[in-house]
Amino acid sequence: MIEKKMTIPAGSILKNEDFDYIDSFQGVICSPVKDVDIIEIGNLFLSSGPDWANSLMVVRDSIVGVFGLKTGAQLIKEQDKEKTLNFVPGERVGLFKVFEKTENELIMGEDDAHLDFRISIFIDKHTSDTSKSSLSLTTTVVFKNWFGRLYFLPVQFFHQLIVKATLKRMLRKINWCNDQKND
């Protein structure tokens, strides 16, 4: 089951920072992931978005481009498509810039004129049940002006749908518990 929380996981790099908006979706990985490769998890994240989200991005880009905001097409052009993704800070991976990487967390996002956002992909290997770990996708936003708040109002709903669907797909590919229900 995917659980939605409005707090940042305790072990996350983002835990002690202040944000205007936070959401976190978490799911259980049934097999131990003590030796998980965060680069593999990052690539899994990039390849697990729902197909319908691409159509939404086309609509979004056509609207925000008029206001001079960064579009997905502009961000992807900045990426060297031949390069192997190592998720090192400063590297561009798809629509995101990598800000930080540890052995169990990636922080990606973008800074724009109207808001800054970060996405944390966090594997918590320290759950009470040593045979299970959790995977969290946490989003944080800092609004820079009133336009950022206005922009995020309709985006928030779709963002949550996309993140939840992405996490479900990631968990299915990793080894999601057989007793978990699709929600």
Side-chain angles (χ1 to χ4, degrees):
M1 178 169 48
I2 305 287
E3 183 179 354
K4 179 184 176 190
K5 297 184 176 185
M6 300 307 282
T7 59
I8 298 171
S12 174
I13 295 168
L14 301 175
K15 184 62 179 173
N16 295 319
E17 297 183 33
D18 291 325
F19 302 100
D20 297 312
Y21 173 86
I22 298 168
D23 69 31
S24 185
F25 292 87
Q26 300 169 346
V28 173
I29 302 171
C30 290
S31 58
V33 289
K34 300 294 181 202
D35 299 320
V36 70
D37 181 356
I38 197 65
I39 293 173
E40 289 177 37
I41 297 297
N43 281 302
L44 187 61
F45 169 79
L46 293 176
S47 66
S48 296
D51 296 333
W52 53 264
N54 294 331
S55 299
L56 287 176
M57 283 302 293
V58 169
V59 172
R60 177 227 176 253
D61 284 354
S62 66
I63 294 170
V64 301
V66 172
F67 296 102
L69 301 178
K70 295 176 185 174
T71 66
Q74 290 169 324
L75 295 173
I76 289 173
K77 272 186 195 175
E78 295 174 16
Q79 179 180 331
D80 181 357
K81 293 188 181 17
E82 300 300 315
K83 187 169 79 172
T84 302
L85 299 179
N86 293 311
F87 295 88
V88 295
E91 181 179 18
R92 178 149 304 279
V93 292
L95 299 174
F96 309 107
K97 177 181 174 185
V98 177
F99 284 92
E100 295 189 55
K101 176 178 88 172
T102 67
E103 68 179 43
N104 64 330
E105 186 172 23
L106 287 172
I107 306 291
M108 299 184 293
E110 193 62 50
D111 295 340
D112 215 330
H114 63 303
L115 59 77
D116 296 344
F117 76 91
R118 300 292 182 267
I119 297 171
S120 162
I121 304 167
F122 179 71
I123 300 168
D124 188 353
K125 303 172 192 177
H126 306 291
T127 59
S128 58
D129 181 347
T130 57
S131 68
K132 296 181 182 179
S133 298
S134 67
L135 176 63
S136 301
L137 298 182
T138 302
T139 304
T140 63
V141 180
V142 172
F143 300 116
K144 293 183 174 178
N145 52 40
W146 65 269
F147 183 72
R149 289 183 187 280
L150 182 64
Y151 166 83
F152 196 66
L153 280 173
V155 168
Q156 180 179 339
F157 172 76
F158 294 107
H159 153 78
Q160 290 182 14
L161 292 175
I162 292 168
V163 171
K164 189 173 181 179
T166 300
L167 182 57
K168 276 187 196 179
R169 290 176 88 174
M170 290 176 73
L171 290 169
R172 283 186 187 119
K173 292 175 184 178
I174 291 172
N175 182 21
W176 199 11
C177 303
N178 294 331
D179 62 343
Q180 300 292 325
K181 295 180 181 175
N182 295 340
D183 57 333

